[in-house]
Amino acid sequence: MVAPVGHALAAAQPFATPLDPHSLFDTLSALVRKYQVPGAQLAIHHGGETVAIEVGELEYRTGRPVTWNAAFPIGSISKTFTATVAMTLVADGDLDLDAPLGEHLPELGDLGNGLTLRQVLSHTGGLAEGPEPAEALASIRRYILDNCRSQNLVLPPGTGFSYSNIGYILVGHLIETITGMSWWDAMELILLRPLRIEPTFIGKDGRSPLDRPLATGHSVNTALGRTRPVTQSLTLAEAPAGGLAMSAMDLVTLGLTQLDDRGPALLPTVYAGQMRQSVSSAKPFGLADGWGLGLAIFRHADAVWVGHDGNADGTACYFRVEPVNGSVVAFTSNANIGVCVWRELLPELCRAGLPLKSYSTVEALGRPTAPPPGCLGSYRNGDTEYSVTLLDNGNHCLTIDGEAVAWLRFHEGLIYSQQDMTSGQWTNAGRFLRNPVTGDLDGILVNGRVGSRQSVTGENMRCLITTQTASC
């Protein structure tokens, strides 16, 4: 179904190339069939026009069609919503971006003396990635009390980038403390209702509307021709980091708040602008060109886009805003392999006057080199363990918590690229970190997360892994 919206949601500067919804529909339909993705949505605000396109099924082989208002679990794009609520409180004078969080959260102890909201929103607070599933079953407040301590830091606050779900759970707790409401109520009353977005939450019973279509996530293996529905595993404590389900049109509505005076009058221009401003210590190698407050920064030729990617259980979603010309692009899909559809959509969007590219450092890494001496071993980020091992066939492999996930190829500058073992696609590049004093490799950056070395293994370390590889 192609559904051009009957009115422009915000005025924008006109573009020479108008949107062709029928061409976009044909392209999206073909890509969904190619990659066996059950369903997807694409919504675009461009040149003053908003177009919504949807294809496929909410759940595989059920016949229930994807509609324009169907909600998809959007994973980490939820962080942009949580950051927008926090920035609304900053705009109201209830919070200060650079004041120690201990002023509002004395339960943080020593950590609260040096940690700020700006750091946490930009993933420069030094906090670990996330909780063990069993620990996250607690309330948001209980989880913060158990896990946010100085001894749990992976970096000193303000010194570097390490992507952290814990940080956004902390922001959720801060929102609850300041507003006197639960995160769910604050999200609904401060942000979603004013934007006329129907609140749909993952992981909390009784909070989602019964009459709104909700997409089911899927695990798709194109090599085997297998598509299986999966259940969302998000826990209550993780909600501020990934607890929302949205349509592509909902994401466009949020994006319009970043268009300064051309969007909904929800967040004052100066505060929206601060969200898009790169924090100097945020260097998210392999993920983006920079990071602001709840928004990643992507530079493509002369265009600067901001946005976020999101992966829930069996979903892949993407959100981009180009504020200068007033463009917003949102894509949702209910399959783990939806990233392949997104990447192949981008050339079509470029032809429509939207200069978007798939962010990847892999193409610019140069020729492969020998592995850096001393790279083998175990590294830890909170409860997560990363291991670099050498196989009997001479290939290097990355494991996460004991599960082999990627083949590694090495490049100059202590950089590695990684090929996903399931899909065969090249994913986010990473790098090893050298101790500035000893010169030893004492850390690793994996998907934007910093891991500190736990053990050193010999160069003859071996492990045997059986994998099945598909192509994307």
Side-chain angles (χ1 to χ4, degrees):
M1 176 180 179
V2 181
V5 176
H7 62 281
L9 298 181
Q13 297 177 11
F15 283 77
T17 306
L19 292 172
D20 183 350
H22 298 288
S23 175
L24 290 171
F25 174 78
D26 291 342
T27 300
L28 182 60
S29 299
L31 291 173
V32 162
R33 289 193 299 269
K34 176 180 178 179
Y35 291 109
Q36 304 170 32
V37 173
Q41 299 168 320
L42 176 66
I44 303 172
H45 183 81
H46 178 59
E49 175 188 13
T50 304
V51 172
I53 299 167
E54 52 276 345
V55 300
E57 299 175 297
L58 292 172
E59 185 174 348
Y60 183 57
R61 289 185 173 175
T62 63
R64 295 189 294 125
V66 175
T67 57
W68 70 271
N69 67 329
F72 287 63
I74 59 171
S76 287
I77 301 176
S78 303
K79 293 180 175 68
T80 302
F81 285 80
T82 295
T84 304
V85 172
M87 290 301 292
T88 302
L89 298 177
V90 172
D92 290 343
D94 296 317
L95 288 171
D96 186 319
L97 282 170
D98 298 307
L101 290 182
E103 293 181 6
H104 300 289
L105 304 175
E107 59 267 34
L108 292 179
D110 293 343
L111 180 60
N113 296 331
L115 191 63
T116 69
L117 180 58
R118 186 186 302 277
Q119 293 166 352
V120 177
L121 291 178
S122 61
H123 298 286
T124 60
L127 296 165
E129 148 66 2
E132 287 285 349
E135 295 180 6
L137 293 174
S139 68
I140 294 174
R141 183 178 184 277
R142 182 70 259 169
Y143 176 75
I144 294 303
L145 290 173
D146 291 342
N147 292 277
C148 284
R149 292 287 182 266
S150 296
Q151 58 266 33
N152 300 130
L153 293 175
V154 298
L155 290 170
T159 62
F161 181 93
S162 189
Y163 190 91
S164 172
N165 284 332
I166 289 179
Y168 272 78
I169 298 171
L170 177 58
V171 175
H173 177 49
L174 179 65
I175 289 170
E176 292 186 332
T177 300
I178 296 300
T179 64
M181 297 184 281
S182 70
W183 173 84
W184 293 269
D185 287 338
M187 177 62 62
E188 179 174 346
L189 296 176
I190 294 174
L191 184 59
L192 301 184
R193 290 297 182 190
L195 291 179
R196 299 182 180 179
I197 294 175
E198 187 68 26
T200 310
F201 299 103
I202 301 298
K204 185 169 178 63
D205 294 337
R207 296 304 303 256
S208 299
L210 298 177
D211 57 346
R212 185 174 192 186
L214 181 63
T216 299
H218 296 83
S219 173
V220 176
N221 187 314
T222 56
L224 300 178
R226 185 182 66 197
T227 301
R228 291 180 176 174
V230 296
T231 302
Q232 297 301 313
S233 60
L234 190 90
T235 61
L236 290 179
E238 297 170 289
L244 291 172
M246 295 282 155
S247 69
M249 277 297 296
D250 292 336
L251 297 181
V252 166
T253 299
L254 178 69
L256 294 177
T257 66
Q258 288 292 327
L259 302 188
D260 297 337
D261 295 332
R262 293 166 289 178
L266 178 73
L267 193 61
T269 298
V270 63
Y271 296 98
Q274 287 186 59
M275 293 183 69
R276 304 191 301 268
Q277 183 176 352
S278 184
V279 173
S280 60
S281 56
K283 302 185 186 306
F285 180 81
L287 296 183
D289 294 300
W291 217 279
L293 308 181
L295 290 167
I297 298 165
F298 307 91
R299 298 184 177 91
H300 301 306
D302 294 331
V304 178
W305 295 77
V306 297
H308 215 292
D309 300 346
N311 298 282
D313 292 299
T315 71
C317 305
Y318 300 87
F319 167 62
R320 299 288 187 271
V321 180
E322 201 281 271
V324 174
N325 289 307
S327 296
V328 185
V329 177
F331 170 77
T332 62
S333 69
N334 58 356
N336 59 314
I337 207 166
V339 58
C340 299
V341 177
W342 168 249
R343 286 175 177 172
E344 287 205 36
L345 267 176
L346 297 180
E348 181 77 6
L349 297 178
C350 287
R351 285 189 287 271
L354 294 157
L356 272 167
K357 294 181 181 178
S358 176
Y359 179 82
S360 174
T361 55
V362 173
E363 295 84 358
L365 295 181
R367 64 180 181 83
T369 63
C375 69
L376 298 181
S378 176
Y379 306 81
R380 184 164 290 276
N381 175 298
D383 294 326
T384 302
E385 182 180 31
Y386 308 116
S387 294
V388 178
T389 59
L390 177 63
L391 309 187
D392 281 340
N393 61 9
N395 292 329
H396 286 73
C397 153
L398 174 69
T399 68
I400 300 180
D401 290 334
E403 179 182 357
V405 297
W407 307 113
L408 299 185
R409 180 183 294 171
F410 302 92
H411 307 267
E412 293 182 358
L414 303 181
I415 293 170
Y416 66 85
S417 52
Q418 51 180 331
Q419 185 180 31
D420 184 82
M421 288 184 173
T422 300
S423 68
Q425 63 182 301
W426 291 93
T427 59
N428 302 323
R431 61 167 37 134
F432 294 94
L433 307 175
R434 195 181 295 281
N435 186 303
V437 177
T438 67
D440 296 332
L441 298 187
D442 66 353
I444 192 172
L445 192 65
V446 179
N447 300 327
R449 285 84 168 164
V450 170
S452 299
R453 181 181 290 280
Q454 298 300 297
S455 63
V456 179
T457 62
E459 290 293 320
N460 60 349
M461 179 178 178
R462 299 287 192 271
C463 68
L464 295 176
I465 299 170
T466 301
T467 63
Q468 292 179 321
T469 303
S471 60
C472 177

